[in-house]
Amino acid sequence: MTSHIIGAGNFSGEGGNDLIGLRSPTGGTYLMQPSYLYRGTGLGGFGRTTSLNHEFSNLDRIVFSSGDFDGNGAPDILTVTDGLGTLNLEPGNGRGGFTGARTAIGYGWGVMRTVFGPGDFSGDRKSDILAINGAGYLYLYRGDGHGRIVGGGQKIGTGWGGFQTVFSPGDFTGDGKSDVMAVSKDGGLYLFRGNGLGRFTGGGQRIGNGWGSFLSVFSPGDFSGDRRTDVMAVNSAGDLVLYRGNGRGGWASGGLKIGKGWTVYR
């Protein structure tokens, strides 16, 4: 499952973490994919919603936030485009927009079924990329802090192809190290704790049930303003539900509905 809702960090520079929604175009072979920025208030809600007026298309098979991948202090967006499987950097300007045109930083990414940004997963204070190929292998690609990748991918796991959704919430456990979450086919939500050195401390820990019914599951980082990482999900009715993390690898409360009509982002 690839979410068309992206936890973009503080993309607008206004204090709260934001979301980007990509609406799927219909018909044709190359169509613009309208995109919208939902500005977080930093208190669990939204302020203004604005059009990004930026070129995404139906050829962008995967779109995700990489955190600050180019080292300019602002969150960036990465895309994987059909065809050559080009990995593109879309540098954010820190004010709710982009600095310019996209830059190709890799090729051959079309073999990857899932690509996402965990922030700094390797412990070198530079944002990295994680990717799962068709065989279910999980690879770590280390960023150089200037918008490029250092070396080739390092295989750090197997058996990831059986999950419906895999994403990173950043540091969900409060130990200062980026983690990974995954939704299994039976609806279990699993937490994989990162060790801060590009690996995991052990196997996955099941921390929730019933997550398989959601249309999208992703993390906005700290959305509620309590300095603890949260998770969001969109249910079949189109409700956007916020699950507040407790900063120790669990939940502070049950799901809270904070929006409706989010099925447009599918």
Side-chain angles (χ1 to χ4, degrees):
M1 179 193 305
T2 298
S3 177
H4 287 190
I5 308 169
I6 303 159
N10 186 10
F11 194 78
S12 63
E14 296 180 357
N17 283 343
D18 308 313
L19 302 183
I20 292 175
L22 302 173
R23 297 188 67 167
S24 297
T26 57
T29 57
Y30 182 84
L31 293 172
M32 297 304 298
Q33 191 166 359
S35 56
Y36 299 89
L37 176 64
Y38 291 79
R39 301 166 187 257
T41 62
L43 298 172
F46 296 103
R48 294 181 296 143
T49 300
T50 55
S51 171
L52 278 176
N53 194 26
H54 183 74
E55 183 172 338
F56 295 103
S57 82
N58 58 338
L59 299 182
D60 293 323
R61 181 171 60 87
I62 298 173
V63 182
F64 65 99
S65 174
S66 60
D68 179 15
F69 196 73
D70 61 3
N72 72 346
D76 305 309
I77 300 298
L78 295 180
T79 66
V80 177
T81 304
D82 280 340
L84 296 177
T86 308
L87 178 68
N88 305 287
L89 171 63
E90 315 257 2
N93 64 12
R95 302 184 304 276
F98 297 88
T99 62
R102 64 176 56 181
T103 301
I105 61 173
Y107 299 94
W109 288 75
V111 300
M112 300 299 181
R113 62 184 297 268
T114 302
V115 188
F116 58 98
D120 174 20
F121 194 74
S122 59
D124 61 0
R125 299 184 181 180
K126 300 168 185 176
S127 292
D128 304 310
I129 300 173
L130 293 176
I132 301 169
N133 68 10
Y137 297 154
L138 177 66
Y139 287 88
L140 166 64
Y141 293 84
R142 299 170 187 260
D144 69 354
H146 301 287
R148 299 288 177 178
I149 294 170
V150 179
Q154 175 188 2
K155 187 169 76 172
I156 62 171
T158 61
W160 289 79
F163 290 111
Q164 289 185 357
T165 304
V166 184
F167 64 98
S168 175
D171 177 18
F172 191 73
T173 60
D175 62 359
K177 302 165 185 175
S178 290
D179 307 307
V180 173
M181 286 184 169
V183 179
S184 62
K185 291 181 179 178
D186 68 352
L189 179 65
Y190 285 84
L191 169 64
F192 295 83
R193 299 170 185 255
N195 68 0
L197 298 172
R199 297 279 184 173
F200 299 101
T201 61
Q205 174 190 0
R206 190 164 181 141
I207 61 171
N209 298 302
W211 289 76
S213 62
F214 289 117
L215 302 178
S216 299
V217 183
F218 58 95
S219 176
D222 173 19
F223 193 75
S224 59
D226 60 1
R227 299 184 181 180
R228 297 164 182 169
T229 301
D230 306 310
V231 175
M232 286 182 173
V234 177
N235 63 23
S236 59
D239 299 328
L240 179 65
V241 184
L242 171 65
Y243 291 85
R244 293 175 53 232
N246 64 9
R248 301 184 302 276
W251 308 107
S253 61
L256 173 66
K257 177 181 170 181
I258 61 171
K260 60 182 180 179
W262 287 76
T263 50
V264 296
Y265 300 116
R266 295 188 61 184

